[in-house]
């Protein structure tokens, strides 16, 4: 099957370079916000005379090749007034378009997809694009809209549970998501148990979520790609905006460094609820802060340089007995260069750092871990013709993993200082992909990525009998950590293990007419770094580990089929998809695995397999006073780890069982209603089936101690999760466009105070002696008011 796919791709690439006899010229340029000159991503450009539709790239650039003549260029984008211009092409022409933000709020397009031609005909599926204009129409909870909460309202996306960080896509784990902020990898996406995301909506320009049909320029993860870009800043004049709330506040400053050539944006956020706890003599505290920065300089029409960064941190302190801190640091230096009106390039040097720390007073433990990567990538976009666009590039990443630095904590501690073995690796890749229109109805996006992963020293690596770091104890009928038989010392950059994988990608779109299409996709992905955690939350137990000779790379194969329909002139749209994905080398934990401070992670893991399949539907209302969508997902996610030989039972007797993030039903209703220019309202209703769990099904006495016994893994469920959030926004002077512009936001998180279960505790009542179950919830009803301002 793989060889057939590769053969088809080779033939498609070969056929792509045929010559056109008619003399043609190229129209290219950039689309910007006319007010602040911000480039706009994914703007729809349609030329009706040539029946050509295209979109701007991640830096606002577009290019199309047409016969000489006169044309109408129609430019449309979410939240902006439609632009229409006539152009005469007699030679290669550069034309930049400046768009104006829409000032109309009633009976106009409030949430609108790109033109039907781009939406229906583009060979792109399992993808959701949200502009910040769309996100800001959603209910603002705690005074600010949230990027992660917005994507949780999309089909196929869920959170693990209340208080869990990250998100899960199509039954995948948190570490399967490649989250990029200005191309830099974000390892933890949440603040304060997932109550806030690390993405400050004030500074975000655009985001795109790929759940399947992932283009060949992305790799390294198997569940999804969340690609987020920050604003560049206003290069015409200075502006300030922010908000003051009960829980947190934020401030953004932007303006020119050199007018028309250079600009900056600086944004910060911080929470301060812990200060009120101190006033009340409460020893507990939880707070976060983050800082976003970006600078750019335009040397000329062909060269732009961008420097961006992010710095954030969380501090959770429970009576100085348990302290958890974690944070991301990101830096990116980018150079955009236009080689010609047909070839656009981007070179990036990127640094990502994620550190996490736990202090446990009762255990006398201070544990700190960290993962860093240094990333260089060079990408090209080649507009060969209107029917063919090529993307190609290379990427290399150097990883530095520190699984744990252990120190004593507190006045009395029995912990001995230790440094767990640091691990190093290189991940290299190269790709080429093409977007090609074979006819007016049929279009393709196909590509091939090659990835190579090298585990290198310096490191001392354990060896095991029969190369098995996990052994099966027949007498006790349990899996146990094997005792190392020795070690091998690898010098710096000495190869420990190496892996290489070909990753074909293919997406097909067939237009039934201008408003309906059928799409299909296939993609193979490889993942070489893994989050080792046996809790639902990515914090506090975060152990990132690289692939090695024992922990194999995860390999995903996913297929999807969908039907897309715009009707009533784009007022409504329907998206339906069904998908199936299979994962090889899915890591699974042995029962009783203890991950904290472990130097040999391979000794508690077995390699298994996973699968997920489901149906996704999304119905959107795009225009009018009331806008929003209803999304529903019906899906299953399972995994299996059979025994390695006939004498071993494997995990769960080698049978398929529910994955930790399996949720049969996931329903979300999102709505925004504009009553008047002064008042707007929003609401989000969520319902999800209960998360998989393993409960005790009995007990027994062992040497006078009552011990719980458990049934099959994940055969139980937490109770169903549901919640309603509402918000109201009041703008006293909506027509005021200059000077001080303020608005009030009132919101209620969890309106009817649902006590959603984060977990259950099982215990024996000391008074009655009877067994009882207690539901543990994290968040109840949370009202908030925030004053937002800009000037």
């Amino acid at each position: 099957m793989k060889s057939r796919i590769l053969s088809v791709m080779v033939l498609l690439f070969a056929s792509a370079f045929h010559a056109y006899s008619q003399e043609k010229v190229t129209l290219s340029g950039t689309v910007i916000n006319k007010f602040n000159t911000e480039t706009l991503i994914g703007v729809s450009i349609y030329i009706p005379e040539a029946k050509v539709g295209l979109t701007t790239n991640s830096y606002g650039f577009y290019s199309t090749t047409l016969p000489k003549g006169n044309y109408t260029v129609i430019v449309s984008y979410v939240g902006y007034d439609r632009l229409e211009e006539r152009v005469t092409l007699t030679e290669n022409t550069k034309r930049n378009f400046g768009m104006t933000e829409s000032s109309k709020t009633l009976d106009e397009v409030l949430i609108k997809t790109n033109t039907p031609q781009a939406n229906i005909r583009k060979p792109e599926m399992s993808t959701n694009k949200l502009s910040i204009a769309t996100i800001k129409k959603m209910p603002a909870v705690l005074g600010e809209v949230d990027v992660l909460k917005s994507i949780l309202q999309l089909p196929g996306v869920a959170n693990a549970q209340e208080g869990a960080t990250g998100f899960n896509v199509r039954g995948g784990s948190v570490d399967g998501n490649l989250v990029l902020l200005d191309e830099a990898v974000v390892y933890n996406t949440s603040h304060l148990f997932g109550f806030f995301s690390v993405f400050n909506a004030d500074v975000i320009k655009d985001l795109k979520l790929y759940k399947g049909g992932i283009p060949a320029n992305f790799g390294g993860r198997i569940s999804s790609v969340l690609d987020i870009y920050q604003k560049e800043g206003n290069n015409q004049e200075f502006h300030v905006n922010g908000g003051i709330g009960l829980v947190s506040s934020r401030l953004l400053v932007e303006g020119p460094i050199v007018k028309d050539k250079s600009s900056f944006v600086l944004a910060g956020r911080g929470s301060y609820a812990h200060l009120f706890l101190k006033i009340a003599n409460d020893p507990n505290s939880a707070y976060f802060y983050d800082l976003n920065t970006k600078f750019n300089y335009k040397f000329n029409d062909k060269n732009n340089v961008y420097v961006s960064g992010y710095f954030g941190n969380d501090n959770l302190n429970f009576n100085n007995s348990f302290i958890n801190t974690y944070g991301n640091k990101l830096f990116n230096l980018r150079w955009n260069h236009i080689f010609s009106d047909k070839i656009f390039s981007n070179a990036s040097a990127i640094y990502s750092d994620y550190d996490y720390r736990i202090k446990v007073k009762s255990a006398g433990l201070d544990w700190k871990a960290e993962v860093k990567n240094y990333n260089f990538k060079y990408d090209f976009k080649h507009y060969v013709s209107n029917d063919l666009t090529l993307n190609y590039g290379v990427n290399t990443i150097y990883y530095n993993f520190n699984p744990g630095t252990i120190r004593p904590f507190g006045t009395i501690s029995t912990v001995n200082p230790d440094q767990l073995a640091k691990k190093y690796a290189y991940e290299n890749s190269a790709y080429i992909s093409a977007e090609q229109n074979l006819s007016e109805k049929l279009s393709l996006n196909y590509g091939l990525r090659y990835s190579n992963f090298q585990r290198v020293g310096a490191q001392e690596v354990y060896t095991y009998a029969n190369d098995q770091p996990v052994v099966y104890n027949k007498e006790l009928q349990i899996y146990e950590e094997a005792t190392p038989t020795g070690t091998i010392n690898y010098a710096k950059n000495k190869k420990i293990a190496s892996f290489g994988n070909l990753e074909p990608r293919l997406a097909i779109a067939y237009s039934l007419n201008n408003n309906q299409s059928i799409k299909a996709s296939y993609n193979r992905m490889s993942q070489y770094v893994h989050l080792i955690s046996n809790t639902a939350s990515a914090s506090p137990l975060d152990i990132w580990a690289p692939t090695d000779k024992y922990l194999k790379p995860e390999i995903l194969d996913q297929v999807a089929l969908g039907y897309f329909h715009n009707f009533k002139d784009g007022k409504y749209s329907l998206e339906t998809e069904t998908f199936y994905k299979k994962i090889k080398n899915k890591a699974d934990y042995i029962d009783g695995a203890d991950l904290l401070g472990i130097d040999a992670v391979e000794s508690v893991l077995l390699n298994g397999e996973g699968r997920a399949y489901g149906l996704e539907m999304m119905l959107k209302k795009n225009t009018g006073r009331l806008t929003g969508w209803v999304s529903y997902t019906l899906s299953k996610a399972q995994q299996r780890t059979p025994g390695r030989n006939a004498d071993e039972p494997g995990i769960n007797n080698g049978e398929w069982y529910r994955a930790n993030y399996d949720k049969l039903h996931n329903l979300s209703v999102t709505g925004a209603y504009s009553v008047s220019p002064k008042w707007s309202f929003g609401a989000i209703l969520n319902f999800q089936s209960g998360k998989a769990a393993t409960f005790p099904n009995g007990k027994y006495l062992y040497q006078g101690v009552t011990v719980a016994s458990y049934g099959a893994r994940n055969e139980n469920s937490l109770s169903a999760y549901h919640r309603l959030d509402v918000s109201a926004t009041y703008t006293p002077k909506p027509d005021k466009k200059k000077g001080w512009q303020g608005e009030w936001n009132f919101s209620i998180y969890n309106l009817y105070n649902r006590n959603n279960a984060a977990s259950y505790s099982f215990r024996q009542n000391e008074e009655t002696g009877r067994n009882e179950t207690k539901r543990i919830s994290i968040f109840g009803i949370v009202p908030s008011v925030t004053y937002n301002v800009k000037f």
Side-chain angles (χ1 to χ4, degrees):
M1 178 66 180
K2 190 197 302 184
S3 62
R4 288 183 180 178
I5 293 173
L6 292 176
S7 298
V8 170
M9 288 183 175
V10 170
L11 290 173
L12 287 169
F13 278 120
S15 67
F17 291 95
H18 73 278
Y20 293 85
S21 58
Q22 187 176 5
E23 184 181 2
K24 296 186 177 183
V25 294
T26 298
L27 173 67
S28 64
T30 303
V31 182
I32 61 173
N33 180 315
K34 191 175 182 179
F35 171 68
N36 58 23
T37 70
E38 284 271 359
T39 57
L40 299 177
I41 302 172
V43 175
S44 175
I45 300 172
Y46 184 61
I47 303 172
E49 293 88 350
K51 295 183 178 180
V52 170
L54 63 151
T55 57
T56 57
N57 71 3
S58 299
Y59 302 94
F61 181 80
Y62 76 93
S63 177
T64 182
T65 301
L66 302 164
K68 293 180 179 181
N70 298 316
Y71 296 95
T72 303
V73 181
I74 301 171
V75 187
S76 59
Y77 191 56
V78 179
Y80 287 77
D81 292 332
R82 186 172 179 266
L83 184 65
E84 185 173 319
E85 288 191 15
R86 290 287 294 175
V87 296
T88 299
L89 299 181
T90 58
E91 60 183 1
N92 291 343
T93 302
K94 180 178 179 181
R95 177 67 63 89
N96 297 329
F97 295 102
M99 302 193 72
T100 304
E101 291 186 66
S102 176
S103 59
K104 300 176 182 179
T105 57
L106 295 181
D107 300 319
E108 295 289 336
V109 176
L110 297 183
I111 299 177
K112 182 182 177 184
T113 59
N114 288 328
T115 62
Q117 291 85 355
N119 182 37
I120 294 298
R121 300 184 187 279
K122 193 174 180 64
E124 182 179 79
M125 65 180 303
S126 307
T127 301
N128 295 102
K129 181 182 184 299
L130 293 175
S131 72
I132 197 64
T134 300
I135 294 173
K136 286 187 174 181
K137 294 298 180 183
M138 298 175 67
V141 179
L142 296 181
E144 60 179 282
V145 293
D146 191 285
V147 169
L148 283 192
K149 285 185 174 62
S150 69
I151 68 171
L152 288 175
Q153 314 316 315
L154 301 173
V157 187
N159 61 339
Q161 62 187 48
E162 190 106 275
T165 65
F167 57 98
N168 308 105
V169 176
R170 290 182 170 176
S173 58
V174 171
D175 70 337
N177 303 313
L178 178 63
V179 181
L180 303 171
L181 180 63
D182 278 350
E183 302 179 335
V185 177
V186 180
Y187 285 94
N188 191 319
T189 58
S190 299
H191 288 308
L192 300 185
F193 306 108
F195 208 68
F196 291 86
S197 80
V198 300
F199 306 111
N200 183 346
D202 288 343
V203 78
I204 300 303
K205 177 165 68 173
D206 185 89
L207 70 88
K208 201 169 190 178
L209 176 69
Y210 299 88
K211 300 174 293 185
I214 298 173
N217 57 302
F218 295 112
R221 299 293 191 275
I222 61 172
S223 286
S224 73
V225 177
L226 179 59
D227 195 18
I228 302 176
Y229 282 89
Q230 298 185 122
K231 295 177 179 177
E232 282 107 40
N234 191 322
N235 69 10
Q236 299 298 305
E237 53 190 29
F238 289 93
H239 286 277
V240 177
N241 65 273
I244 301 174
L246 298 178
V247 178
S248 67
S249 292
R250 64 193 195 280
L251 182 69
L252 178 144
V253 182
E254 62 178 332
I257 299 174
V258 178
K259 194 171 182 179
D260 293 323
K261 278 187 170 293
S262 179
S263 62
F264 77 93
V265 60
L266 181 66
R269 281 190 308 170
S271 67
Y272 37 74
H274 64 290
L275 298 178
F276 300 108
L277 295 177
K278 286 185 178 181
I279 294 174
N281 292 321
D282 191 319
N284 302 319
S285 69
Y287 65 90
F288 76 88
Y289 69 85
D290 54 32
L291 178 69
N292 297 75
T293 62
K294 194 166 185 178
F295 307 88
N296 72 86
Y297 189 85
K298 181 179 180 181
F299 287 91
N300 50 47
D301 289 341
K302 293 188 175 182
N303 293 281
N304 287 276
V305 171
Y306 303 85
V307 179
S308 58
Y310 169 86
F311 312 91
N313 198 69
D314 277 67
N315 188 302
L316 315 174
N317 188 327
F318 300 94
N319 197 26
N320 289 320
S321 297
F322 179 87
I323 301 172
N324 177 212
T325 60
Y326 58 92
N328 297 280
K329 302 179 190 70
L330 313 174
F331 176 82
N332 187 6
L333 172 63
R334 287 179 291 159
W335 169 46
N336 286 171
H337 177 66
I338 300 175
F339 283 94
S340 70
D341 49 21
K342 288 178 175 284
I343 301 178
F344 180 93
S345 72
N346 177 71
S348 299
I350 307 163
Y351 170 76
S352 296
D353 181 0
Y354 177 50
D355 66 87
Y356 35 102
R357 188 171 190 172
I358 300 174
K359 293 182 179 180
V360 185
K361 192 171 184 179
S362 60
L365 174 70
D366 179 359
W367 176 67
K368 181 180 180 180
E370 189 173 21
V371 55
K372 300 178 182 178
N373 71 59
Y374 305 84
N375 184 354
F376 175 77
K377 59 196 296 285
Y378 201 11
D379 300 298
F380 296 85
K381 194 174 187 75
H382 187 175
Y383 300 88
V384 179
S385 70
N386 287 336
D387 293 323
L388 177 66
T389 301
L390 296 180
N391 291 276
Y392 43 88
V394 294
N395 183 204
T396 183
I397 306 173
Y398 174 68
Y399 292 98
N400 182 340
F401 298 88
N402 176 11
T405 301
I406 300 171
R407 298 186 180 94
F409 172 60
T411 55
I412 301 176
S413 175
T414 59
V415 171
N416 294 319
D418 193 12
Q419 173 61 62
L420 304 184
K422 294 184 178 181
K423 301 174 181 179
Y424 309 91
Y426 290 94
E427 184 176 345
N428 305 302
S429 60
Y431 73 91
I432 182 170
S433 65
E435 187 172 330
Q436 186 176 9
N437 298 320
L438 296 183
S439 69
E440 187 176 341
K441 290 182 173 293
L442 182 63
S443 57
L444 304 177
N445 192 323
Y446 50 96
L448 183 64
R449 182 183 184 90
Y450 175 74
S451 60
N452 174 264
F453 191 80
Q454 302 271 346
R455 277 280 286 111
V456 297
Q459 187 184 345
E460 188 176 72
V461 178
Y462 291 120
T463 59
Y464 302 91
N466 302 317
D467 272 344
Q468 291 191 348
V470 177
V471 295
Y472 182 66
N473 187 320
K474 290 184 179 180
E475 183 178 347
L476 298 178
Q477 297 185 344
I478 59 173
Y479 285 98
E480 298 177 328
E481 301 176 30
T483 301
T485 57
T487 59
I488 299 177
N489 264 308
Y490 291 89
K492 185 176 181 179
N493 288 324
K494 177 78 172 178
K495 185 171 70 175
I496 299 173
S498 178
F499 302 87
N501 286 288
L502 285 173
E503 304 175 20
R505 318 287 172 88
L506 175 64
I508 304 172
Y510 182 77
S511 302
L512 301 175
N513 52 47
N514 286 337
N515 292 309
Q516 299 180 74
S517 68
I518 298 173
K519 300 183 183 182
S521 68
Y522 163 80
N523 63 270
R524 167 167 281 211
M525 308 280 285
S526 304
Q527 181 169 334
Y528 301 101
V529 296
H530 316 274
L531 178 61
I532 308 301
S533 175
N534 58 0
T535 65
S537 173
S539 181
L541 283 178
D542 278 10
I543 304 174
W544 284 89
T547 289
D548 56 27
K549 63 183 296 185
Y550 303 114
L551 182 59
K552 303 299 183 183
E554 293 183 83
I555 309 296
L556 165 85
D557 289 288
Q558 179 174 214
V559 293
L561 178 66
Y563 170 72
F564 302 81
H565 189 186
N566 291 327
F567 45 98
K568 290 198 173 181
D569 294 325
K571 184 176 182 179
Y572 298 95
S573 58
L574 174 68
E575 303 173 14
T576 61
E577 288 190 35
T578 182
F579 69 90
Y580 177 85
K581 61 183 186 181
K582 188 174 183 180
I583 304 169
K584 293 192 295 187
N585 301 324
K586 181 71 175 176
D588 207 351
Y589 304 98
I590 63 175
D591 292 330
D594 185 7
L595 302 177
L596 187 60
I598 189 171
D599 203 7
V601 173
E602 67 272 9
S603 64
V604 295
L605 295 173
L606 292 172
N607 290 309
E609 59 182 329
R611 67 185 182 189
Y613 49 93
L615 173 67
E616 299 171 353
M617 293 181 287
M618 186 175 187
L619 176 64
K620 294 195 289 186
K621 185 177 184 294
N622 301 314
T623 64
R625 294 191 180 196
L626 175 65
T627 57
W629 62 80
V630 178
S631 71
Y632 172 71
T633 306
L634 176 69
S635 65
K636 288 286 292 180
Q638 300 173 307
Q639 65 185 87
R640 177 176 67 177
T641 305
R644 295 168 295 187
N645 54 56
D647 296 327
E648 293 185 8
I651 303 297
N652 203 54
N653 293 317
E655 298 176 354
W656 287 102
Y657 68 91
R658 293 177 63 194
N660 288 336
Y661 310 106
D662 173 61
K663 294 186 176 182
L664 182 63
H665 301 284
N666 185 3
L667 172 69
S668 175
V669 182
T670 302
Y673 185 72
S674 292
V675 177
S676 69
K678 290 187 176 183
W679 281 100
S680 62
F681 297 89
I684 297 177
L685 174 66
N686 286 305
F687 175 87
Q688 298 175 9
S689 297
K691 174 184 173 291
T694 306
F695 297 158
N697 60 3
K699 62 180 181 178
Y700 59 91
L701 285 175
Y702 180 74
Q703 296 182 353
V705 178
T706 301
V707 180
S709 62
Y710 293 83
R713 185 175 291 196
N714 283 355
E715 68 176 351
N716 307 109
S717 298
L718 300 183
S719 56
Y721 178 97
H722 51 90
R723 191 186 82 236
L724 174 64
D725 302 334
V726 296
S727 72
T729 301
Y730 173 64
T731 307
K733 298 179 179 180
D735 296 327
K736 189 176 182 181
K737 300 304 176 185
K738 289 192 175 182
W740 188 279
Q741 305 162 62
E743 70 174 23
W744 289 93
N745 178 266
F746 309 92
S747 66
I748 302 177
Y749 176 92
N750 196 358
L751 179 65
Y752 51 85
N753 198 28
R754 163 73 175 179
N755 291 321
N756 287 298
S759 63
Y760 290 104
S761 66
F762 301 91
R763 63 189 183 186
Q764 189 176 55
N765 189 297
E766 294 181 357
E767 296 181 357
T768 64
R770 302 179 67 179
N771 295 328
E772 61 183 17
T773 302
K774 181 181 180 181
R775 176 189 295 185
I776 300 174
S777 301
I778 297 179
F779 299 120
I781 184 172
V782 183
S784 181
V785 58
T786 298
Y787 181 69
N788 297 315
V789 63
K790 61 181 178 179
F791 56 89

